Amino acid sequence: MEPRRVFTWAKEAVEEDIQGVLKSLKTKKGNEIRYPKLNEIQDAIEKYMHITEGDKCAILKSLRINNGETVKKFNYRYKKLYHKLSIEYRRLISVKDYTTAISSRVFACSRVMTAECETLTEAFKIAEVAEEAEKEIISNSTPITNNIGTPIMITQNSINNNPLLQHPF
């Protein structure tokens, strides 16, 4: 993306005090104007707002998958934040943190836990495969319906005298 457009967008998206910080990043040499790159803008904002590596790590540890968000999309967000951390802070992020982040997706989370993943990369892959498998199972199951098309639920009657339906134990 063109640096001038990124700069203009970023400047308009922030509050007035931060606009001043961003304006100082734009330089002019003769007739040539140099606009900062996106990572320079991000670094300047983080420095101005005193956002530390510890803050970024805490944000990642508190990240949770959203309702309706696929595991694959969540993993993209998770990896993006993870890769913004320094090596030292990446060491603080564990597979347990990841399973906590996806704990609302019981099947995917349980698959990661039972696989005893040692790396996040392994956990990401297993969670994505588990979600795909779950979707496939759900899409292949057809509800039992009555003769007018309304789904019905089948339950076992505890007062059933049919010996063929009674459990032998």
Side-chain angles (χ1 to χ4, degrees):
M1 189 180 256
E2 183 185 338
R4 180 176 160 236
R5 290 182 68 190
V6 171
F7 175 76
T8 303
W9 174 83
K11 196 173 66 167
E12 294 301 317
V14 296
E15 294 188 18
E16 204 171 306
D17 57 334
I18 299 173
Q19 285 178 359
V21 171
L22 297 183
K23 285 178 186 175
S24 70
L25 297 175
K26 181 175 127 180
T27 57
K28 187 174 183 178
K29 264 190 186 175
N31 289 339
E32 186 179 318
I33 298 175
R34 183 197 169 277
Y35 294 95
K37 295 178 181 167
L38 184 59
N39 61 337
E40 293 173 306
I41 293 170
Q42 181 180 349
D43 291 343
I45 292 172
E46 287 175 0
K47 185 176 178 183
Y48 177 78
M49 296 184 74
H50 306 288
I51 298 172
T52 66
E53 237 359 69
D55 295 333
K56 292 177 189 178
C57 186
I59 288 168
L60 183 58
K61 282 184 171 277
S62 67
L63 189 66
R64 300 293 180 267
I65 192 167
N66 295 322
N67 289 334
E69 182 178 27
T70 65
V71 170
K72 191 171 190 164
K73 282 185 181 179
F74 175 74
N75 285 350
Y76 175 77
R77 284 194 309 129
Y78 199 93
K79 289 176 200 177
K80 196 173 173 185
L81 291 172
Y82 178 78
H83 289 293
K84 287 182 180 180
L85 294 174
S86 66
I87 302 284
E88 295 81 26
Y89 277 90
R90 287 182 195 172
R91 290 184 186 132
L92 300 175
I93 305 299
S94 66
V95 172
K96 174 120 176 66
D97 294 319
Y98 176 71
T99 57
T100 301
I102 63 165
S103 62
S104 64
R105 305 299 168 84
V106 178
F107 185 66
C109 182
S110 66
R111 294 293 297 147
V112 171
M113 293 172 84
T114 56
E116 296 180 352
C117 299
E118 299 210 4
T119 66
L120 284 173
T121 303
E122 188 182 355
F124 295 146
K125 180 72 175 162
I126 287 173
E128 287 177 22
V129 169
E131 182 180 61
E132 288 303 313
E134 184 179 29
K135 284 180 183 177
E136 189 172 324
I137 290 167
I138 290 170
S139 70
N140 289 337
S141 66
T142 52
I144 299 173
T145 59
N146 61 15
N147 55 356
I148 59 171
T150 307
I152 58 172
M153 180 186 286
I154 298 177
T155 60
Q156 184 175 357
N157 188 345
S158 61
I159 311 173
N160 193 335
N161 294 328
N162 184 341
L164 296 174
L165 297 176
Q166 292 177 351
H167 199 279
F169 301 103

